[in-house]
Amino acid sequence: MAFPVVLHQAFLLAALTLRASLNEVLGEPFPLTPEILPFSIQSKLQQVNVQWTVPNLTHQELKMIFQIEISRINTSNIIWVENYSTTVKWNQVLHWNWKSDIPLECVTHFIRIRAMVDDAKYALQSSWSSWSSWKDISVQVSVGPNSLLIFPENKLLEEGSNITICLMYGRYLYNVSCMLQNEPIHGEQLDSHVDLIKLNNVDFLGSSGTNINCQAMNLTENSIILDTKKIFGTTGTVLFVSKVLEEPKNFSCETRDFQTLKCSWEPGVDTTLGWAKQEYQNYTLYESFSGRRELSNHRNSHNWKITEDAQEMYNFTLTAENNLRKRSVSMIFNLTHRVHPMAPHDVTLETIGATKANMTWKVLSRGDSYMLLCQVQLQHKKEVIHEHNVSVHMSASYLFSDLEADTEYKACVRCADANHFWKWSEWAQKGFSTPEAAPSQALDVWRQVQSENGSLVVTLLWKPLLKSQANGKIVFYNIVVENQDRPTESEHHAVRAPALSKRLILNPNSYKIHITANNHMGASPESVMVLSKDFEHEEVHTKRINGTKDGFHISWDPSSGDTLGYIVDWCAHSRDQHCDVQWKNLDSNTTSTIITSDAFKPGLRYNFRIFKRSIQQTAQLLEKQTGYTQELAPLENPEVEIDNFTSTSFVLKWQGYASDFQSAFIEGYLVYLKSKEMQCHPEGKRMKLSDNLVLCEYDIKDPEQKTFTVKNLQPETSYEFLVTPYTSAGPGPKESFRMLTTPDQHSHKLLQILLPMTLSILLIIFVCYWKSQWMKEKCYPDIPNPYKSSILSLIKSKKNPHLIMNVKDCIPDVLEVINKVEGPKTQCVGSGKPTAENVPIKPPSVPTENSFFGPVSCVFFENFTYNQSAFDSDSHGLIPEPRKETPRQLGLLTPPDKLLNVLEKDCMKSLTESPTEETSLIYVSQLASPMCGDKDSLVTNPPMVVHCSEYKTQMAVPGSLVSPALSESNSLTSVILLGQGEQ
C-alpha cells in the first residue's frame, strides 16, 4: 500500500516539473493565485494574523511579491494596500500581520491577496495573478436594543500615541456623548449605530489611567441609559497611558578588585502604571562571548561576577523592556582597561620643622607588574596650592616643602591605572598644622611728626605682617627710642597686638627708633627710622593733580644723592572721619605710582606727600600734591557780610572755605544782583527776567578775591544779591538770594546827629536816676528806722557816744507830723488858726539859726506799723476815733524838763479821761531845730536852740494826744520824744 502512494507522489512531482519546463520553454504563464487560509484575530491588540499559500507553485523556491488589500464595511471601501516581498518555497504557508486603527469589534473588514513573480529567471511571469476571493474579518459582538458598548476596553498605549474609540449602541439609543476626564469629546458616525472618536497625541495624566465615560438617550423611555460595562463604579473605559520607554544612557562597566564587574546606567523615565497594567521596566544583561544572560535586580546597576577563565574581552548588550516596547544598547571592552582602583589606605603625615611635612600611603596591588599612578595635592583653605604625580607599586611617600609656619593644611592622594587610565580612585586625605616660627619679615613702618609746646609729638605707624611673614600669632611690638644727642638716654615701649600705632612725646632732639614684631618663637628683623631736629621745616611746592574714578596717578622728579627709596603717604578719609594715614613704599628707581582705594569718594580733596628715604633711614619731604577723584559743584555758598552801606553802593565781603571742605578747586566767584530796571556795570552781564526784573552777573576770576563793591545804585531801592563759587563742575546753588534796600541819601547825616544826642540823653537819665537812688538810700530810707539809717555811720565816725538824742539835748521848735490821721479836722494853732486842710503838702522850711521864726504849719505823719489799734485789729488801715479837747499850745518858753512833764500829764489825763476808748499809738518823729507854734506867741528874744541833724528817739504816743486840735490857751511849741530810758 505504501509503495503505490510513493509512486503517485513521484509521478505528480515529475509532472509538475515537466509542466514548469514546458511553460518556461514555451513562455506561457502559469496561475499563481494565492489561497487565504483561516486566520486568527487578537482583539485586545486589534491585530489580524493572515495566512495563505500559493497552490500552483511548481518551483522549489521563488521570489514573489504579494499585494494585500483590506476594505472596511464593504469590499469597495479600500482602506489598506501593502506589498509584501518574500521568497516562497514549495508548499509553504505564508504569514502577515495587520493592525487595525479601530477596534475590530465595531465593523467588518475584508481582505484579498494577489501575487507576482519577482525573479529575473522568470521575467515572463512578472505580472499580477488574479485576486484571491474576499475573506471577511469580523469579531462577533451582540448589541441589544438598549445597549451601549465601548471599545477598546482598558487600552494600554504610550504617551503621544493616537487611538480611535468605537461606540456601538442599540436601535433604541440616540444622542450618544462622551467625557474624557470631565472634558467633552466628540466623534463621527461610521454607520447608523457605530460612532468613532479619534484621540491624537494622548497625554500622560497619571499612573492610574485616563477615564472615558459615555452615555446615551433612550428613545422609548426618554431616560439616560449607561453602558453595562462598569469599571470601578464608572461606565466607560480606561486609557492606561504609559511614558515612552527610553534607551538606557551612560552604560558603563568597571572593576575595582578584578572579581566583580559593576555595570551601571541611567534608566530614564519610569513607565510603571497602576493596577499592574504595566510593571516597572526590566533590564537584562547579555554577554555574547560567554553566552550568559542575567536579569538585573536594580533599575540602574548590576554586579557581574568575573569567572576564573581569565576572560579579558566582554561584549555586553543591555535591554530595557516593558509591555509596549524594548530598547537596547551594546558595549565591548577589555577588562584591564576598565579598572577603577580603590582609595589609598594607611595615610600618615609627619611635620619636619615649620616648613616641611612628609606623607606616606599604601595601595591595593596585583603584583609588581601592576603599576598605579597617584596624584598628590596640598590644600590650604580649600584651595590647591601644590600638585604632583607619583608612580606606585604597593606604597609611596612624598615630601612637602616651602610650607608656612603656623598654618593648617590638608594633604590628599588618589590613584589610577598607570597603563590604561580609566578613573581616579576616591581621595584619601589627612589634615595637619605646621608649628610656629619667628617672624621672617621686618615691619613696614611710618611716622607722623608734629611740634606742640616745644615738644615733638611722634605717632609711629606700622602695617600688620602677612600670615606668611608673621609665622605665628604676633603677641606684641617692641619699640626702642634712642636719643642721638644723648646716647645714654633711651626709651623702651611694648605695644600689645593688635595695636598698629604708638604716640610718643619727645624732646626736640634727633632720635633713632627700632621696631620689631614678636611672637612666641622670637622677634622679627627690626625696622629703623631716624628723626632729625629740623623735621619737615622746609617749604615745598604743592602741585594740583587730577584723579579719576579709579584713583590718582602720582609722579615726581627723581632725587639725587643717597636715595634708598620713596614714600608716598595720604589720608584715606571723608569729611566726617579722622585721618586714616596710609603710605606706600617705593624703590629708588620708581618715580611714579598709582594710588587706588575703595575709600576714595567724589567731591573730597585728597592730599599726598612724597618723601625721600635716605640710606641713613631719614625721610625728607620732597613734594605735596592734592586733587580730587571727581570734582563736584559747590554744595553751599559762603556767608556774605555787607560793609560801607550807602545810598548808592555797598561792599560784599565773604570768607573762603577750608580746603578740606571744598568739593572741588574754587576757580572763582559769581556775584548776582537783581532789581527792577537796573543798569549793570560794564563788566557785568545783563539778563532780563520776568516781572521787569534785571539780573546782573559779575564774574570774579580770582579765587583769592573775597570782596566786591556794588556801585551806581539808586537810593531807596530794593536789591537782591547772591555770591556763589564755581568750580570746573559748575557753580554753587542759586536759590538763597538776600534782599536789602538802599537808604535815603540824607538819612546818614540825620543819623549822625540823632545818634549822639540819643546816647547823651540816655546817659544823663541814667546818672540822674542813679544819683536819686543814692540820695534816697542816704537820707530817705523806706522805713525810718534810725538804726538802719546811714546817718549813724556819720555819727560813729565822729566817735559820739550819744547815738540816741535825749530830751535835754535839743529844744524842739518845729513839730512835724509823720502820718496824718483820717477823722476830725486837725488844726495847728497859729496867728490865723489854720485847719488841717490848710496845711501845705510841701514840708515846712527849717529856719536857720539867725532867722526869725515865722508861722510854720504842723504836719503829723502816722506810721501804720506803729498804730497799735490798727495792729490789734489785724488791719493796717487807720482807725479814727473821737477825742476830747486837749490844750492846744504849750508855752514856748517852757523848759524842756517841764515840757516833758506837761506831755506826761497831758497824756495821762487823756488816758484817764477816756478809759473806754481804744488807744491809738501814733509814730512821731521830730527834727531837732524848727519849732512849731503860733507866731503871735513867739517871744522877742527866743532862746538859742541847739540844732540836731539827726533823728532822735522815736516813740509811740496815743492818737488821742496828737490827733485833736490844740487849744488856744496852750501853745505847743514842740513835742519831745522820750528816750529809751524815759519811756
Side-chain angles (χ1 to χ4, degrees):
M1 189 70 180
F3 178 75
V5 174
V6 172
L7 182 62
H8 178 69
Q9 291 180 351
F11 176 76
L12 289 177
L13 180 60
L16 291 174
T17 304
L18 179 61
R19 180 181 177 184
S21 300
L22 292 175
N23 290 335
E24 183 178 355
V25 173
L26 299 175
E28 297 178 358
F30 52 89
L32 297 176
T33 303
E35 180 180 351
I36 300 177
L37 302 176
F39 45 77
S40 62
I41 299 176
Q42 294 178 312
S43 179
K44 290 186 177 181
L45 299 178
Q46 299 179 190
Q47 182 172 301
V48 179
N49 297 323
V50 182
Q51 302 179 97
W52 72 92
T53 62
V54 184
N56 297 326
L57 184 62
T58 58
H59 297 76
Q60 292 292 332
E61 192 175 275
L62 186 66
K63 292 181 180 181
M64 299 185 69
I65 299 176
F66 299 93
Q67 190 175 65
I68 305 169
E69 285 187 350
I70 297 176
S71 62
R72 181 175 290 166
I73 301 177
N74 53 63
T75 57
S76 61
N77 184 22
I78 305 297
I79 62 168
W80 190 274
V81 177
E82 182 177 335
N83 292 334
Y84 174 68
S85 299
T86 187
T87 299
V88 183
K89 297 180 180 180
W90 180 75
N91 207 19
Q92 179 184 2
V93 177
L94 302 175
H95 299 271
W96 178 77
N97 295 328
W98 176 72
K99 188 174 183 179
S100 175
D101 59 339
I102 65 174
L104 297 175
E105 294 87 349
C106 297
V107 68
T108 301
H109 293 80
F110 302 93
I111 184 172
R112 66 178 181 175
I113 304 174
R114 65 178 178 177
M116 183 177 63
V117 176
D118 187 24
D119 200 326
K121 299 178 182 179
Y122 308 102
L124 297 177
Q125 301 293 328
S126 60
S127 60
W128 291 109
S129 68
S130 300
W131 288 100
S132 66
S133 59
W134 287 100
K135 295 289 185 180
D136 63 317
I137 304 172
S138 63
V139 179
Q140 298 298 324
V141 177
S142 177
V143 182
N146 291 321
S147 300
L148 176 62
L149 302 179
I150 302 176
F151 298 99
E153 298 179 5
N154 303 337
K155 179 68 174 179
L156 175 64
L157 69 160
E158 286 184 336
E159 184 181 21
S161 302
N162 301 330
I163 186 173
T164 300
I165 298 174
C166 173
L167 300 176
M168 300 178 67
Y169 46 93
R171 64 180 181 272
Y172 293 151
L173 300 182
Y174 73 100
N175 196 16
V176 179
S177 61
C178 296
M179 304 285 288
L180 174 66
Q181 293 290 97
N182 300 323
E183 293 291 334
I185 52 177
H186 305 283
E188 58 183 8
Q189 191 170 15
L190 185 62
D191 62 16
S192 59
H193 294 286
V194 177
D195 287 351
L196 297 180
I197 299 176
K198 294 183 179 180
L199 299 177
N200 298 323
N201 195 20
V202 180
D203 295 328
F204 173 82
L205 299 180
S207 60
S208 60
T210 302
N211 296 323
I212 297 179
N213 300 318
C214 297
Q215 62 185 10
M217 299 296 295
N218 187 280
L219 185 61
T220 58
E221 299 179 359
N222 194 24
S223 61
I224 298 177
I225 302 299
L226 300 179
D227 183 18
T228 57
K229 302 290 184 178
K230 294 186 179 180
I231 301 177
F232 301 102
T234 302
T235 301
T237 186
V238 178
L239 300 181
F240 290 95
V241 182
S242 168
K243 290 286 187 179
V244 179
L245 180 65
E246 295 180 354
E247 182 181 276
K249 297 179 178 63
N250 298 327
F251 177 43
S252 174
C253 296
E254 64 185 22
T255 183
R256 310 202 70 173
D257 54 4
F258 291 94
Q259 296 179 3
T260 303
L261 268 174
K262 184 177 182 179
C263 297
S264 60
W265 60 88
E266 294 179 8
V269 66
D270 187 4
T271 62
T272 305
L273 295 178
W275 297 307
K277 287 299 178 179
Q278 177 161 278
E279 299 292 343
Y280 182 77
Q281 63 263 28
N282 57 71
Y283 293 89
T284 303
L285 272 174
Y286 173 72
E287 204 283 306
S288 61
F289 294 121
S290 63
R292 289 169 55 188
R293 185 186 301 272
E294 295 182 7
L295 179 65
S296 176
N297 295 326
H298 304 280
R299 63 189 299 264
N300 59 355
S301 64
H302 181 71
N303 292 329
W304 183 279
K305 292 295 183 179
I306 298 176
T307 60
E308 297 179 357
D309 56 1
Q311 179 182 351
E312 289 189 359
M313 296 300 298
Y314 289 84
N315 186 5
F316 280 109
T317 299
L318 175 65
T319 302
E321 182 179 4
N322 63 8
N323 293 334
L324 295 176
R325 68 169 67 216
K326 294 182 180 181
R327 294 289 180 92
S328 300
V329 291
S330 298
M331 176 183 58
I332 185 171
F333 60 89
N334 190 312
L335 180 63
T336 59
H337 298 176
R338 296 298 178 93
V339 179
H340 183 192
M342 302 292 287
H345 59 92
D346 295 340
V347 180
T348 62
L349 202 142
E350 180 183 3
T351 57
I352 304 173
T355 59
K356 294 181 181 180
N358 186 51
M359 182 177 67
T360 61
W361 68 95
K362 296 180 180 180
V363 295
L364 181 64
S365 176
R366 295 180 61 198
D368 294 339
S369 61
Y370 183 67
M371 182 73 69
L372 291 178
L373 179 67
C374 293
Q375 186 181 65
V376 179
Q377 283 187 356
L378 184 65
Q379 298 180 6
H380 174 59
K381 293 183 178 180
K382 298 182 179 181
E383 293 185 3
V384 178
I385 61 176
H386 183 76
E387 187 174 274
H388 191 75
N389 293 335
V390 180
S391 297
V392 182
H393 286 290
M394 297 182 64
S395 64
S397 64
Y398 185 78
L399 179 66
F400 296 106
S401 59
D402 299 329
L403 304 180
E404 296 180 3
D406 190 35
T407 305
E408 293 183 356
Y409 293 98
K410 183 184 290 184
C412 307
V413 59
R414 64 181 179 178
C415 300
D417 192 307
N419 298 320
H420 305 284
F421 179 84
W422 169 243
K423 283 183 180 179
W424 288 108
S425 69
E426 293 80 7
W427 286 103
Q429 54 190 16
K430 193 78 171 179
F432 67 98
S433 298
T434 54
E436 287 189 359
S440 59
Q441 185 70 30
L443 290 170
D444 184 3
V445 298
W446 187 232
R447 83 293 183 279
Q448 292 281 67
V449 184
Q450 294 178 345
S451 179
E452 293 183 4
N453 300 325
S455 299
L456 294 180
V457 179
V458 180
T459 303
L460 299 179
L461 307 167
W462 57 88
K463 295 179 181 179
L465 292 175
L466 300 177
K467 185 174 179 58
S468 60
Q469 300 169 345
N471 295 333
K473 182 180 180 181
I474 300 299
V475 180
F476 67 95
Y477 299 93
N478 190 43
I479 301 173
V480 178
V481 182
E482 295 181 2
N483 193 328
Q484 299 285 71
D485 299 334
R486 297 178 182 178
T488 58
E489 296 182 3
S490 62
E491 298 181 10
H492 295 264
H493 303 275
V495 180
R496 296 188 63 84
L500 299 175
S501 64
K502 176 64 177 177
R503 189 171 184 265
L504 303 175
I505 300 178
L506 306 174
N507 294 324
N509 297 319
S510 297
Y511 294 91
K512 189 174 185 179
I513 302 176
H514 309 260
I515 306 176
T516 59
N518 297 261
N519 62 11
H520 293 97
M521 300 303 294
S524 69
E526 67 177 12
S527 299
V528 180
M529 287 190 304
V530 175
L531 302 179
S532 60
K533 296 179 181 179
D534 52 347
F535 73 99
E536 302 178 15
H537 285 169
E538 61 275 13
E539 292 293 333
V540 296
H541 173 67
T542 300
K543 183 172 69 173
R544 182 184 298 184
I545 58 176
N546 295 323
T548 64
K549 63 179 181 179
D550 298 325
F552 295 89
H553 179 264
I554 309 295
S555 62
W556 58 92
D557 296 332
S559 178
S560 60
D562 54 347
T563 302
L564 187 62
Y566 299 95
I567 297 177
V568 180
D569 74 348
W570 69 95
C571 289
H573 66 86
S574 61
R575 292 177 180 173
D576 56 350
Q577 293 178 345
H578 182 68
C579 174
D580 180 16
V581 179
Q582 303 291 325
W583 69 94
K584 189 173 184 180
N585 273 300
L586 302 167
D587 56 44
S588 58
N589 296 324
T590 304
T591 57
S592 65
T593 185
I594 296 177
I595 306 297
T596 60
S597 174
D598 294 336
F600 289 157
K601 296 180 180 179
L604 295 181
R605 179 178 294 190
Y606 296 95
N607 302 312
F608 301 89
R609 298 186 300 176
I610 298 95
F611 292 85
K612 166 190 171 182
R613 186 161 51 92
S614 65
I615 299 177
Q616 293 78 20
Q617 298 299 333
T618 60
Q620 178 185 357
L621 181 62
L622 298 178
E623 189 176 332
K624 293 182 180 180
Q625 298 185 15
T626 182
Y628 297 83
T629 56
Q630 180 183 352
E631 295 194 44
L632 303 178
L635 301 178
E636 55 186 14
N637 296 327
E639 292 291 337
V640 181
E641 298 179 357
I642 300 175
D643 195 9
N644 297 334
F645 186 33
T646 67
S647 60
T648 59
S649 67
F650 58 85
V651 178
L652 301 177
K653 293 183 178 180
W654 60 91
Q655 297 293 329
Y657 303 100
S659 59
D660 289 340
F661 288 87
Q662 295 179 8
S663 59
F665 293 111
I666 302 296
E667 297 183 354
Y669 294 89
L670 295 176
V671 179
Y672 295 96
L673 192 66
K674 184 166 55 175
S675 182
K676 291 185 178 181
E677 301 298 334
M678 179 179 58
Q679 295 297 326
C680 299
H681 194 273
E683 298 178 356
K685 183 188 300 183
R686 188 174 189 272
M687 290 175 283
K688 187 72 173 179
L689 303 179
S690 59
D691 300 332
N692 296 325
L693 290 178
V694 176
L695 179 67
C696 297
E697 178 186 290
Y698 302 95
D699 188 359
I700 302 175
K701 299 183 180 299
D702 183 8
E704 300 300 325
Q705 180 179 338
K706 303 297 190 303
T707 61
F708 182 77
T709 303
V710 182
K711 302 177 181 180
N712 301 327
L713 303 179
Q714 297 296 325
E716 300 184 54
T717 305
S718 296
Y719 294 92
E720 295 181 56
F721 68 89
L722 172 68
V723 178
T724 180
Y726 64 88
T727 66
S728 61
K734 299 181 181 179
E735 293 83 10
S736 55
F737 274 81
R738 289 176 55 186
M739 179 177 288
L740 56 80
T741 301
T742 55
D744 184 14
Q745 58 184 351
H746 302 294
S747 61
H748 65 283
K749 296 181 180 179
L750 182 60
L751 184 62
Q752 293 176 357
I753 298 174
L754 293 178
L755 184 59
M757 291 180 61
T758 303
L759 294 177
S760 300
I761 293 173
L762 291 176
L763 181 59
I764 293 172
I765 293 174
F766 174 75
V767 171
C768 293
Y769 175 77
W770 175 78
K771 191 66 177 176
S772 64
Q773 292 295 322
W774 180 82
M775 290 295 293
K776 180 179 179 181
E777 291 177 1
K778 291 295 182 181
C779 299
Y780 305 101
D782 293 336
I783 299 177
N785 188 344
Y787 293 99
K788 295 183 179 180
S789 176
S790 59
I791 298 298
L792 296 178
S793 62
L794 299 176
I795 300 174
K796 288 180 181 180
S797 62
K798 296 179 181 181
K799 298 182 180 180
N800 189 349
H802 303 288
L803 298 180
I804 305 301
M805 183 180 71
N806 293 322
V807 176
K808 298 178 180 181
D809 292 339
C810 191
I811 297 174
D813 55 354
V814 176
L815 179 65
E816 181 180 1
V817 178
I818 301 305
N819 198 355
K820 180 180 179 181
V821 179
E822 298 292 337
K825 300 272 178 121
T826 302
Q827 294 179 348
C828 185
V829 179
S831 60
K833 296 181 174 64
T835 64
E837 294 175 354
N838 302 119
V839 177
I841 296 176
K842 184 177 180 181
S845 61
V846 180
T848 61
E849 189 174 346
N850 300 322
S851 62
F852 177 78
F853 295 98
V856 178
S857 300
C858 295
V859 181
F860 284 85
F861 293 93
E862 182 179 40
N863 191 327
F864 293 101
T865 306
Y866 293 90
N867 189 328
Q868 185 175 357
S869 62
F871 179 79
D872 294 339
S873 61
D874 294 333
S875 174
H876 296 286
L878 179 64
I879 303 176
E881 58 184 350
R883 296 177 177 85
K884 296 181 180 180
E885 291 289 341
T886 59
R888 296 190 178 184
Q889 288 183 342
L890 294 177
L892 179 62
L893 299 179
T894 303
D897 53 349
K898 301 296 183 180
L899 180 61
L900 179 58
N901 296 331
V902 173
L903 284 175
E904 290 177 353
K905 181 180 179 180
D906 191 60
C907 288
M908 294 301 295
K909 182 180 179 180
S910 300
L911 294 174
T912 304
E913 291 176 354
S914 56
T916 60
E917 295 178 0
E918 293 184 0
T919 304
S920 177
L921 299 181
I922 308 302
Y923 184 80
V924 180
S925 177
Q926 77 168 22
L927 288 177
S929 296
M931 295 183 296
C932 179
D934 193 344
K935 67 178 180 177
D936 298 334
S937 303
L938 296 177
V939 293
T940 306
N941 295 317
M944 298 300 293
V945 181
V946 180
H947 295 278
C948 298
S949 61
E950 66 275 354
Y951 288 99
K952 293 300 182 178
T953 304
Q954 303 175 10
M955 179 186 71
V957 297
S960 60
L961 180 63
V962 183
S963 299
L966 299 176
S967 63
E968 295 179 359
S969 61
N970 298 319
S971 176
L972 179 62
T973 59
S974 176
V975 177
I976 305 301
L977 301 183
L978 298 178
Q980 291 179 352
E982 300 172 354
Q983 293 178 1

